[in-house]
């Protein structure tokens, strides 16, 4: 049981565990983003360069089907490196990404906040909710809300942990664990009713000032909706040691 099975170099088969909340035939972008990270890690790796920023632009809902991820090096400098990735299925491009790696150096770290709260105990109520049982991606994660809730409007703080492998038979990294969860900000902090509106992100930007560690990632997320069909979700990202970066999503908002 996993989100993806590798078919060949750069080719994967998506499972039902990638399903998003809007349509069972399309994927949540969390797994797709983590798979991009998985493939980029295999692209021109160099010791001492660490992933620092990832931008994913979503052209259309990604189908639960075979995917092809093509990667390339856009710039290969001594201190920074820029990579690109394209996600296709059936000859159509569904998403495109760019990522920066920055060289490691000994710098004076500034104080940053610790997690908003420790990982709370598992709640059967959350496990039985729409988020924990209603679609493939939701069921594949262990959700632990600190504030807010799976069907509550407004800001939310929630810990999450992927409970199945990303790619069958392949080890998952902390960065992939962060990527699979970072796209959930708009889903846990929605500002309009899920039953009456769609609020789909057209992009995701993850910015990190240090590498994440461990299995658990925390989102402290808030969504704002504008007066003309657009919204924005901002999430602060934590691991159990403290803040690691941010994620932002631009939203397309419309009545159902």
């Amino acid at each position: 049981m996993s989100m993806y099975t590798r078919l060949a170099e750069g080719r994967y088969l998506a499972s039902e565990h990638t399903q998003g909340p809007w349509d069972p035939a399309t994927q949540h972008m969390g797994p797709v983003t983590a798979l991009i990270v998985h493939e980029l890690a295999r692209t021109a790796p160099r010791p001492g360069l660490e992933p620092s920023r990832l931008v994913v632009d979503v052209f259309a809902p990604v189908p639960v089907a075979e995917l092809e991820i093509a990667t390339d090096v856009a710039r290969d400098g001594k201190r920074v490196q820029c990579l690109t990735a394209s996600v296709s299925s059936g000859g159509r491009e569904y998403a495109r990404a760019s990522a920066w790696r920055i060289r490691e150096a000994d710098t004076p770290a500034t104080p940053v906040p610790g997690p908003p709260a420790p990982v709370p105990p598992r709640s059967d109520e959350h496990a039985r909710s729409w988020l924990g049982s209603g679609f493939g991606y939701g069921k594949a994660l262990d959700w632990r809300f600190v504030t807010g809730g799976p069907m509550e409007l407004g800001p939310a703080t929630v810990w999450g942990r992927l409970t199945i492998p990303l790619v069958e038979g392949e080890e998952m990294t902390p960065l992939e664990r962060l990527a699979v969860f970072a796209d959930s900000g708009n889903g846990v902090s929605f500002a309009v009713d899920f039953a009456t509106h769609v609020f789909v992100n057209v992009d995701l930007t993850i910015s990190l000032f240090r590498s994440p560690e461990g299995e658990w990632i925390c989102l402290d997320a808030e969504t704002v909706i504008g007066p003309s069909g657009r919204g924005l979700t901002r999430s602060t990202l934590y691991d159990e040691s403290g803040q690691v970066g941010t994620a932002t999503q631009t939203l397309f908002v419309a009545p159902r």
Side-chain angles (χ1 to χ4, degrees), residues 139-150:
K139 292 186 285 187
L141 273 82
D142 186 355
W143 305 83
R144 308 285 181 93
F145 279 83
V146 177
T147 63

Side-chain angles (χ1 to χ4, degrees), residues 19 125 148 243:
Q19 291 172 334
E125 179 183 357
Q243 187 176 337

Side-chain angles (χ1 to χ4, degrees), residues 191-192 197 199 223-233 250-254:
V192 289
H197 287 77
F199 40 93
T223 297
V224 292
I225 305 294
S228 56
R230 301 190 304 276
L232 178 66
T233 298
T250 307
L251 307 180
F252 167 86
V253 185

